[in-house]
């Protein structure tokens, strides 16, 4: 294998979904074109990016919609979206986010989620690969006998549920 590889301007490298692309130790890849990262890129060697790296964004939701409908985010830019519950439901208290197949820790600076507003932001420093955002089914507010568990010490935002 050559020690130095180049993706020329106007050329594209696509890493397929559920596939791993490994840049071996001691090998460098210079990107002058575009890389579509749909899978997992393992950087044992170096990737010098003078072009564009587009990371796939996968949303796994039920009864939620995101206002950012982009399928890709440019690596090096913050990803932000606002989630909205549908069908008369409340936003989930927590979501899960992963980048390049590795789970991100909420509140660690890697990403933040506000369950009151639905605002989700993944910091650009953490966007190094394909993103997956998932959330459990939003809680129905029009069902009788639903118990909403709050984390220890947290108080409800409102004492009554109101439909829109």
């Amino acid at each position: 294998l050559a020690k130095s590889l180049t993706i020329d301007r106007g050329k594209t490298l696509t890493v397929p979904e559920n596939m791993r692309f490994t840049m071996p130790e001691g090998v460098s890849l210079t990107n002058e074109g575009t890389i579509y990262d749909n899978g997992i890129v393992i950087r044992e060697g170096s990737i010098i990016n003078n072009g564009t790296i587009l990371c796939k964004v996968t949303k796994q939701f039920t009864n939620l919609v995101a206002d950012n409908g982009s399928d890709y985010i440019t690596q090096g830019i913050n990803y932000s979206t606002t989630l909205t519950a549908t069908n008369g439901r409340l936003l989930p208290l927590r979501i899960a986010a992963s980048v390049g197949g590795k789970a991100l820790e909420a509140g660690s600076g890697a990403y933040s989620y506000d369950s009151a507003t639905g605002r989700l932001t993944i910091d650009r420093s953490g966007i190094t690969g394909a993103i997956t955002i998932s959330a459990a089914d939003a809680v129905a507010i029009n069902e009788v006998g639903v118990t909403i568990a709050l984390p220890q010490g947290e108080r409800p935002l409102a004492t009554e549920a109101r439909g829109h």
Side-chain angles (χ1 to χ4, degrees):
L1 181 65
K3 295 286 184 186
S4 178
L5 305 168
T6 301
I7 299 171
D8 294 325
R9 182 168 279 118
K11 301 294 182 183
T12 300
L13 169 68
T14 300
V15 179
E17 195 169 337
N18 300 318
M19 296 296 291
R20 293 178 186 267
F21 173 79
T22 301
M23 182 55 54
E25 188 174 344
V27 175
S28 68
L29 171 67
T30 301
N31 177 37
E32 302 288 344
T34 302
I35 297 174
Y36 282 91
D37 184 353
N38 298 305
I40 298 174
V41 176
I42 300 171
R43 299 171 184 209
E44 294 170 357
S46 65
I47 296 178
I48 302 160
N49 186 34
N50 298 323
T52 303
I53 299 177
L54 298 171
C55 301
K56 175 84 171 144
V57 178
T58 302
K59 301 169 195 101
Q60 300 170 334
F61 301 143
T62 303
N63 294 310
L64 291 169
V65 294
D67 69 351
N68 184 338
S70 299
D71 290 333
Y72 288 91
I73 179 72
T74 302
Q75 193 175 70
I77 296 177
N78 288 343
Y79 174 81
S80 295
T81 191
T82 299
L83 304 180
T84 303
T86 60
N87 301 323
R89 295 177 178 265
L90 296 172
L91 289 167
L93 292 175
R94 293 175 190 79
I95 63 156
S98 65
V99 173
K102 294 181 183 176
L104 298 179
E105 185 177 330
S108 66
Y111 86 94
S112 63
Y113 169 67
D114 184 335
S115 63
T117 64
R119 188 70 177 161
L120 164 68
T121 302
I122 301 175
D123 186 80
R124 68 177 168 245
S125 63
I127 300 177
T128 57
I131 299 170
T132 301
I133 305 162
S134 58
D137 192 9
V139 178
I141 61 173
N142 57 355
E143 293 179 15
V144 177
V146 172
T147 301
I148 301 173
L150 297 174
Q152 185 174 359
E154 289 191 23
R155 299 177 54 106
L157 298 174
T159 57
E160 63 183 62
R162 295 184 181 109
H164 296 286

